[in-house]
Amino acid sequence: MNPTPTSMNSLPDRYTALVAGASGTIGQAFVRQLRADPRCGRVIELSRRSNPPLQLDDEATLAECARSLAAQAPLHLVIDATGALTIDGHGPEKRLEELQAARLQRAMTINAIGPALLLRHLHPLLATGERVIWAKLSARVGSIEDNRKGGWYGYRASKAALNMLLQTAAIEIARRRPLTVVAALQPGTVRSPLSAPFVGDAGMEPNAAACGLLAALDRIEANGRAHFIDYKGEQIPW
């Protein structure tokens, strides 16, 4: 059963939303929820399959995406649903003996550097003088304080790096756009190809996760800092 779509009442009527990573399981769920919101005027989808394509390890494609979107600006809501746990066929490392420089670098590129560069190229398209939300899928395992089990070295480190990049960007963006909310999102364990090798079919329905995250984002107040929240709207320690 699909949850009732969330209406983003905190954003201007007929707001423009963009979903990066729109071809993924949770990206598709965000697109469905936003298209069902009568207050949303337009939903733009970016992915490796879009035209132009978005590839996190190729900055030229990020710049081209930004150029192609200029005519559709300003953007009021950006959901960056990109990221990967299994990269180039390799799952997360569980022991120090498994660490390899190239794999760690790839994790950083996909989960931290690429998203940061996407923010670099798209933030000039954000609306000014009105509420704006930039939300990026992160992960609870990126919390340094909450790390109690260890393991998953590259994934944890890349998400922690992502969180720091978002916090730093939030401080800068607030100087010119004080009504902007920047948020790192923990969607929960969503049923998807990404989580299947680890939880099977035990994950949450993607639509439920997207609906919960949108409702949480709608409630957040802009305060010049980034937020790290889960799909229930609860704060996660950095």
Side-chain angles (χ1 to χ4, degrees):
M1 181 177 179
N2 290 329
T4 302
T6 296
S7 188
M8 301 297 288
N9 294 310
S10 69
L11 294 177
D13 193 29
R14 311 306 296 167
Y15 67 88
T16 296
L18 182 149
V19 179
S23 62
T25 300
I26 194 163
Q28 291 174 2
F30 275 118
V31 169
R32 286 192 294 270
Q33 295 298 316
L34 291 168
R35 290 197 186 283
D37 182 359
R39 301 190 74 255
C40 183
R42 179 191 300 129
V43 181
I44 303 167
E45 301 179 44
L46 289 180
S47 71
R48 286 173 293 183
R49 305 172 188 171
S50 62
N51 184 20
L54 182 153
Q55 295 177 234
L56 293 174
D57 56 358
D58 184 351
E59 187 179 358
T61 70
L62 309 183
E64 180 58 29
C65 284
R67 284 192 291 269
S68 74
L69 292 171
Q72 301 182 70
L75 306 176
H76 300 95
L77 172 63
V78 177
I79 303 285
D80 183 351
T82 63
L85 176 57
T86 298
I87 300 175
D88 301 332
H90 300 288
E93 312 93 341
K94 297 180 180 179
R95 300 179 301 153
L96 282 168
E97 290 82 359
E98 298 176 14
L99 296 186
Q100 297 179 10
R103 288 170 58 182
L104 289 171
Q105 289 169 348
R106 284 289 288 162
M108 286 291 178
T109 295
I110 300 302
N111 292 323
I113 298 171
L117 292 175
L118 181 65
L119 177 53
R120 173 202 168 187
H121 288 286
L122 290 187
H123 89 271
L125 304 182
L126 298 177
T128 58
E130 51 191 347
R131 181 174 169 89
V132 172
I133 300 173
W134 183 286
K136 172 72 185 85
L137 287 193
S138 184
R140 188 181 297 273
V141 297
S143 167
I144 294 175
E145 184 177 341
D146 193 59
N147 185 355
R148 295 180 175 85
K149 295 182 178 180
W152 289 30
Y153 284 86
Y155 191 67
R156 284 186 185 276
S158 63
K159 291 297 186 179
L162 168 69
N163 289 351
M164 178 57 82
L165 289 163
L166 291 173
Q167 184 67 270
T168 305
I171 294 169
E172 178 183 351
I173 291 171
R175 294 172 186 152
R176 293 187 178 182
R177 295 177 172 83
L179 299 180
T180 299
V181 168
V182 176
L185 306 178
Q186 155 64 7
T189 303
V190 176
R191 193 177 304 169
S192 70
L194 181 149
S195 65
F198 308 97
V199 299
D201 294 328
M204 183 191 317
E205 285 293 335
N207 285 339
C211 189
L213 288 169
L214 288 172
L217 288 170
D218 200 44
R219 296 191 298 266
I220 293 178
E221 295 184 4
N223 63 2
R225 306 284 293 180
H227 302 261
F228 190 10
I229 59 171
D230 66 13
Y231 67 98
K232 298 178 182 177
E234 296 178 358
Q235 296 287 333
I236 299 172
W238 293 101

